[in-house]
Structure formats: structure tokens, C-alpha cells
Amino acid sequence: MERFKIFLLTVAVSVQVTSQDSTGEPLIQISKPDITLNPSHAVLYSTETVTLHCEVPEEPPGLQYDWYKDSADLSEHQPNITARGSGKYECKAKKGASESEKSTSYALTLKEPPEPQIRSNWTEAFLGEKVSLQCVIQGVSENWNYMWFKDSSKIVSSGETNIQGNTLTLSVKSSHDGAYMCQAELQGRKVTTAKSKPHLLTFKELPQPKLSIESQWNMFYPTERVTLTCSVDEESNDWGYEWFKNRNLLKEDEDISFPGNTLSISSAKAGHSGQYTCRGKHLTRTSVTTRETEAVQLHIQEPPEPQIRSDWTEAFLGEKVSLQCVIQGVSENWNYMWFKDSSKIVSSGETNIQGNTLTLSVKSSHDGAYMCQAELQGRKVTTAKSKPHLLTVKDITPKPTITRHEWFEFFYTEERVQLKCNMPGVGWEYHWYKDSNLRITNPEFTIDAVSLDDSGYYLCKAQRGDFSVDSEMLQVQVQKSPEPQIRSSWTEAFPGEKVSLQCVIQGVSENWNYMWFKDSSKIVSSGETKIQGNTLTLSVKSSHDGSYLCQAELQGRRVTTAKSKPHLLPVHGSQPTILLQQDPSHPVIYTGEQVKLTCSIQEKTSKWQYLWQKDSQQVNTDNNPIYTIKNATCSQKGEYTCQVRRGEMTYAKSTILTIREPPKPKLSIAPEWNMFYPTEKVTLKCSVDEESNKWVYEWFKNGTRLLKDKDTSFSTNMLSISSAKAGHSGQYTCRGKHLMRTSVTTRETEAVQLHIKGITPKPTITKHEWFELFYTDEKVQLDCNMPGESWEYHWHKDSNPLITNPTHTIDAVSLTDSGNYHCKAQRGDFSVDSETLQVRVQARPPAFLSLETELSDIMTGDMTLRCNVSDGRQWNYTWYMNGQQLNGSSDVLKVTGNEETIKSEFKCKGINTVRPLYSALSDGFIANNILFKRKILLAISGCLVCCIVILIIGCIVLKITRKPEVKETAPEDLFFSMTDSKNQTISPMKEYMDNIPTELEARPPAFLSLETELSDIMTGDMTLRCNVSDGRQWNYTWYMNGQQLNGSSDVLKVTGNEETIKSEFKCKGINTVRPLYSALSDGFIANNILFKRKILLAISGCLVCCIVILIIGCIVLKITRKPEVKETAPEDLFFSMTDSKNQTISPMKEYMDNIPTELEECQEKAVLISDCASAIHEDSVIKDEDTPASEANGLTSFKGL
């Protein structure tokens, strides 16, 4: 309660203090604040940072501020705040208890950044046009920076994509195809708009206009109207056209106009001929112009001049005369007009006009000059008149005239024949005869349905009284409706060719209308299948492949033929496959050879024209597919092109023909020298580098062809002279002859001069510093020389080859170098021996180095060496240590023993003033050998002592550890037994089993024992024996690791390996009477046995090694002992107890003298060691018997080791 009172008191005091503080500060007047804005732009965006400032006039210090947005307190108390979006903002200032009014509310509007739009009329454009896209922000006046994007990648202003202000200008490329967007950034403010909507812009290739002639014919005549049409398939109304003739821009003139997309020639002239092209020019996009079309050839020529053909130059009254109007070389259909003495002839009975033929039944009035003129059917083209043809009419006795109604040269069955006979005057009676047979008497003779029997010669006899006059014979020919035939050389075609098929009715001259069928479907004349007269012309396409038939209908007569036989027209692929072959097909043709180039077409086709070009120049005129060069020259090499033509189609294939001179052979001599001696072998080689195995060679000497003889032979490209003679000298050349191309022969090589000497000299030997007698180590130098080049020098000693060199040098001659020397000069198979030279060599007097060492030297390690040359002359001496010469010339050298001299080699030699100037160098002496021998003797002695001690200790140990009772248990098979395994001694186990009380009869036990011979020890194999010794015959079962093994013998042979060494073996007996089986034997594991064997083998090996080392040491010391050491008192090899001056026999010498005795002792010791080893072996076996059977798993094994 006391604590609560204290708390209330504290609160009261605090309130009082606070009240005093608040009432202690006087109230102040704070002016109404105003809100200002930063930045003060007319339009503010929501992404900008906008700062509002509450500004109090005459602002007193220490003011605090309250901010409100839309009347809600913002909990902001700083004079400056960051605007929180659009709204009405207010603020007031306060200090202590004083506060101002709220400011006038400030309506802040933050707009979202405007969205730009791309304005452009371009949605597609042609390559090369300039396209402008404008980025527009509607209703905004600020300054904006504009960025452009294509497929989300920002565009950088460059030559082809130019950005200026809000405009992107593209010089259109195919890569500009895509979706374009723009984005704006307000200058000076971090305001960025969103990206505009994509504006897709597609770019495409300019269209290719097409040019065609609006006519079914290609040949035009003057005054005709010609129209060419140029068209662009895409947006055809948006294009205007420009016209070109022979690549020059055409302009309108009095004959040429350009209505729409056509070029119109109102009245053609010859000058209008040429190649016409056009191109499109866009009407609204004036910079867009297409490429020119392919050229169309326009031919305009003068109309042909007709000619009158007829044999009639005179006629008699009543005769029939025919005149024919012919236009040569033109296949169009023409209408013909005839004129007599400038008057036009109208076809009538006496002047019949059919086609181009005028037929006259001659009258006197027909006498005159006849001309003809032709008018092209369907076209206002008229030829000039032909030259006049004169016809003279003579008066004669008139004959009856036969008038024919609808007369034809040939009538077809079922047609009507109507004849009328007329004779000038009256009272005539008319009789009709056929083949002299009277048929009817009547002026008219009518056959309503003519048949084949009606064919014949008809005449009419005009008779009046007894007078009659026969008319001319009139032949009526009747035949069946003819069968049309298709004539064409075209039996196949390629696309693009123009093929003509002609429907022919043989022997009939009437005008026929022809119909064509393809695979039974009627063909309608069109641009690609044009029918004119009896001709079908195809502009071949692959669809034209098929079978064609034709049928004819006689003009003006209701006669229709049967269909013709089918005419097959196969259409090949796109173009013929040209095969261009060269015969022979060698890549290189040599000059003089014949070459044939054969051009053929792989497809079955015919009637091609063959043109040959060489390097674009025509070389043949005979239309031959084979071009032959009979005698090739280098000027005829080049590119040969075979052009095949048929109709308007031309194809070509080229090949390169390489022609050059045959290769030039090379002639060389082997060997390469130019001077030879008699009997030498000379070989000349002629070779052609190109195709070397395809040439044979001809040989010439002094310009004459060489033939084979006993000394000269030819083998492939070789000329061999087996034994040279002086007569073989001369200038040799050769040339190559191609084996396969027999007409090819090379030029002869340049001549090679061959010189053969008459006499062969011998080599000469030159001697340098020669003595009759050389001492060893002196230098002998001999030089061998032979006139001529390329000799090889072989040195021989006593007929034995030495070296091959011009100089033979023996730097240090030895006794073995004595002998007879000669040199053999050899080149190729030819050789010459020099005279023999004798070299005699005598040995230098030897220098002997001996060791003279006293007892004191042994203790100090010093040595006294003596050098002696005993040839009776006075000598000085030079000493060497490790090859380095020492000072002094005495015969004695004192050497102080140290680390360097002990390991150094010492030598000496004698020096004299007359030959020999020095003796032979003595043998080297190294003191280290002596120490080494001492160490050997000490090591051998120590080894012998150790072996003896080991033997003694081993024998003692075996003696102590040997137990007498083991001998009674016959353990002969524990390691290996020297007795027969069949000697069944009683084992301790059996004695134990015999003493078991009779109340409990146990199964007879099975005993497993190891019987191992010496060979088994070496191989690791084992022999196990199982025995049940109850007096009965037993079979046995064996087990390894519990698994039963095959076999029932009492002996098991086990091969030693990783598995069997670690395996446990057991056995038991099997019987046919009770007990049926014995107890299972104890287990046996071989691992312990191998360990014991290794120990015994190691001890035995150690003993044998000691004995061998002892014997080898004795032999080595005996062999390495030098005899001369005895003369120089070498008794101090080990140590000497006498003074060095008192040359007594040293212990080492005594030892060496007694070597035979010691060897005998060594042999006796070896026997002793061997006996001891046997004893140790037996003791080790006996020691195993000390281990009880229970500890050895039931086996008397090596458990104790």
C-alpha cells in the first residue's frame, strides 16, 4: 500500500512540473503557410519524384509541420515531403501550443506518361524505297527524345536507318522486314513512356512485268496494226509503264502510242522491227521501278511477190487450161484474185478459180495476158500483182463441151456427179459413153450416189445425122473417203521446242478442214497448241506428252474422213542431257596425236544439228557430232563447246582439251663421272618424269640408232655397257616412245659425251713421316690417290679390309698393326689395287709400377711407389695421378695417405732423348683395392665365425628341446616321413582309444596325417592320408571346408594355392557293416605348415650362402693376386709384423700359399654344416611333437612353432 501511495505522489509531481513547463512558454502568431511545388512543370507525371514544400511567411525558428492529403493525416512533420500520388494536399505549422491555420489546399494531379503512336502509311514496301515512320504523342507539347525498336532490338541511327527527331527513315533492305515500336523520353526529366503498339512493315521483291504481243502470229507486214501488252500482276492499276526498243527509251510519235499498259503501232513499218522491252513505274511511289522484261522480237517485212506457175502458153478451143498463183516460203492462208489484161477474173464455168488455181475451158477470148494477186486471210494485207503470163488461143474444129456441175477431181462414194454435154448449134443428140460402153442418151448424165464402179473415162458424142463429134474424154475418179496420215519428223521433244504435226491426205488436192485430237480429246487452237490449216504447232510443255490423231472435213462438201493412226509424242525432261566424250580420254593430248570429240544426247532423240566451237569461235560447218583433230598441235588446245540445235532450241556443253608437246626425256650417266677406264660398267639412264612406267626408249650414238650386242644391253630405261672399251666413246642421245599411245614420240635428249680411257693406272700410296720400324703408339699416316673422279678408297691389311677413306691414319700404332698394306680404288663394280706397303711395329719398353710399403705405412696409410723400365738404358720418369702429370722425374714416388690419394689411380712411364722417346704407360694402381681386399677377408672371417656360432647354438637348442618319448609315437609324417607310409605304427590316439572303457563303444576314430616329400616342399603341394585302424577294410570320404570331395581313396593329393592353403580338410571312413562310418577326423589347415617350411628353408639358405661366399672369396683373392707384386714386396696387403726393409714372408702370403689346405678345411666345414642342418631339421620336427594332440586339432602338427 505504501508503494502505491508513493507512485501516485510521483505522478502528481510530474503532472505539476509539466503544467508549469507548458504554461511557461508564451503563445506566438504563426502565419498561414503556402504549399509550393518542385518541380513546377505544368504537367507532372506519376513516374516523377515531386516535392511539396510548406512555406510559412516570416517563418519563426523551431517550427513543426503536419501534412494532410485529402484531409487524412500523412504523419509527415518535415517542411518538405514527397508527393504520394494525385490529391489535395494541406499543411500547417506549429510550435508548442501555437499552431497556424491549414494552408490553402493544393490540388496535385500526376498523369500517367502518354503512349506514343506510330504514324505511317507504309505497311509494305519494295526493296530500295525510302520508308518514313513517325512517332507521335498526341496532346503533349513537351520536348521528347525518341527511341526506335525493331523486334524488341533498339535501332541505332546509321546510313540505312536514319533517326531525326521523331522520324525513322529506312532505306529498305530485306532485313528491315519486321515489327517496329517507338518510345519517348522527356528531355531533362526522368520520364519514359511505354513502347508504342507494333507497326508491322513488310518488304517484298519488286514484281516482274510480263510482255506479250497481242496477236496469234509473229510476223507482221507494213500498214498492219501491232499491239504489245505490258502487265504487272500485283496491283496492276497502280503501275504505269515505260517502253524500250533495242534498250532505248521509246517516245510517242505519229505511229506509236502508249494507251494504258499497251504499246500500239497503228501502221507498221520495217523500221519498227527490233527487240522490245518494258518496265513498270509505280504511279504513286515514283521512285519504284521494276526491272525490264525479257525482250520480245518484233518482225515486220514487206509482203511477198506472187508468181504464176503453168505450162500453158497456148491452147485450142475447148481445152482446159490451169494457172497456179504461188507465194514461195510463206505458210499463211491467202485468198487469190486473177486478172486478164488488167481485168479482174470472176470464177465461172470456163474460168474456174479454186484456191490459188485458175482453170480455163479455152475459148478464143481467153487469148491474152494473165496476172494474179493474193490477200492474206483475216488481215488487210495485199501483195503486188505478179508478172504477166501470156496465153495464146488458136481456132480449131470445135468439139462437144461437157459441162460439169459441182465437179471435183476426185469424187467420194455417195456423192452426186452431174454432167452436161453441149455443142454449139441446135439439133444435136448426145450419147454418153463410159469406157466405150454406152450408158445413156441425154444431154445430161447424172449419178445420184456415185460408187467405186462408176470410176472411169466418160465422153459425150454429139451426133447430128451421121456426123458426130466426140468430146474430150472426161475422167471421173471415185474413191473412198481418204484416211489422213500424220506426217512429222518429231517423234519426241523437249519442253520449249516448237513441234509441227501435219495431217496429210495423200493424192487429194481439195481443201479440207482439219481437226486434232490428243488422247481422244479434241484440241482447241490456243497460244501453246496452234492449228493452222492441216498443221498443228505445239510450244512443247510436259503436258503435251501423249498420242495425237487428226481428222479432215472437206470444205463445201459433207465428207469427213476417219481418224488417222495415233502419232506418239513423248516429252522428255527439262532439257537434253549432252554427253561430250574425248577419244582417247587422256587428260593431256600430245602433239601429233589424233583426237576425236564426240557429242551425243543421252535421251533417244534425233534430228539435232551439231555445231563445234573452240574458245567461242566456230570450227565446223558439216553438222557432224564428231569433231576430229587428226594431227594435234599446241595451237588447237582450248575450250571446245558442242552446241546442239533443233528448231529454235540450242543447248551446249564444253570441255577443256589440253594439248602439249610430249615430255622431254632426261639422259644421265651412272656413275656420274665422264671419264671411264676399260672393263668398267657404264649405265646410261633415259627417263621421262610423266607416266614413267608407260614409256620405252630408243638409243642413239653419234646420231645412229644403237642395237643390242654382247657388251651393250637395254633394260627398261637403261642402256648398260657391261665392259667399257675405247670404242664405246662417243655422243649418246635417247628418246621416249609411249607404250600405249604409239604415235607419241619425244624429241631426242641433249647429247651426253662418254669418254673411255685406253689404259688403267694403279693407285699411288703417299707416306707421311715414315720409319722402317715403328714403336707402339706412334702415328702412321698413308694417303691413296687415283686419277679421275668419284673414287672410293678401301684399305686392306694382309687382305683384310680396314676402312674406306682416301687417308688411312693409325694415331697410336700397336703390334697388331704390323703387316702388308694396300689400297683399292673402286667406283661402281670396277676396282684397281695399289702396290703393297709393309708396316713393321715394335713394342715400347714396358714400365713396371710396384708398391713398397713398410709396417709404418700400413699404420699411417702412406705408400711408396717405384717405376722401372728395364731395357739397359738410363731413363727419367713421369708420374700421373688420375691422368694429371705430377712434378718430378725420379723412379720413386712417395704418396701421403688421405681421402684423395686412397681413391686415386697412379701410373708412370719412362722418358728418353732418343727413339723410343718414351716407354709404355704402366698399369694403374689404386690403393682402394687393398682396403677392399682387407674388408673382404674380414667379412669372410666374420661370416665363418657367425656360421659356426649359429650351428653350435642351433645344435644345443635342438638337443635341449628334444623329448625322448616322441620317438615312440612314430611321427614320421608330421613334416615329411623318410619311412614307408604303409608301415602302420600305433599312434598315441589309437592307444588312447584302446583304453576307453568297454561300457561305451565309440565309433572308430579317423586319423588325418600329412605325408609330404621333398618335391612337395618345393612346389607347395600336399599329400594327406586318412586311416581308420580297427583291422577292417575301409573306404574314405574327404571334406574341404565342409564340402564333400570326389573319391574314396585313403590318400588325397592337394595342389597348393591361395584357396587350399587357407582351407580346412577332414575325413571319415565308410564301411558296409556296422559301424557304417567312423568318427570325423580333426580338421587340418595347411597354413602353419608353409610358415614352418619357410623358416627351415631360410636357415638352410643362410648356411648355404655363407659356405658359397667363403669359397668365392678364397677364389677371388687367389685370382686377383698379381705375380709382379711378389717382386715389389706386396706382403703388406693385409698387415705385416716385420720391417719393410726386412723382406720376410707376410701372413697374407702364408695364407695364399696354404689355400689348398684351407679349401679342404672349407669342404670339411661344409659337410659339417650340412650335417648340422639335417640335425636342426630333425630337431625342428621333433619339437612339433611336444604340442599335445588336443592343441593341434587332433593332428600331430606344427602348432608349437
Side-chain angles (χ1 to χ4, degrees), residues 169-241:
T169 303
L170 302 175
S171 297
V172 175
K173 293 171 58 180
S174 57
S175 59
H176 290 153
D177 190 282
Y180 288 79
M181 295 178 287
C182 71
Q183 190 176 30
E185 186 180 48
L186 196 56
Q187 293 181 6
R189 295 161 65 181
K190 297 181 179 179
V191 177
T192 303
T193 69
K195 289 183 180 178
S196 67
K197 293 181 180 178
H199 181 86
L200 292 177
L201 197 56
T202 303
F203 301 106
K204 57 185 178 181
E205 296 284 345
L206 284 168
Q208 180 65 28
K210 297 177 183 178
L211 177 59
S212 61
I213 297 177
E214 297 300 315
S215 175
Q216 62 181 0
W217 46 83
N218 294 326
M219 184 71 70
F220 293 88
Y221 298 100
T223 72
E224 282 195 288
R225 183 180 185 85
V226 182
T227 302
L228 286 82
T229 300
C230 189
S231 60
V232 175
D233 293 339
E234 300 178 9
E235 302 174 341
S236 57
N237 295 330
D238 295 338
W239 295 89
Y241 299 91

Side-chain angles (χ1 to χ4, degrees), residues 1180-1192:
S1180 65
V1181 175
I1182 294 170
K1183 184 177 180 181
D1184 291 349
E1185 296 170 8
D1186 296 342
T1187 305
S1190 60
E1191 296 178 0

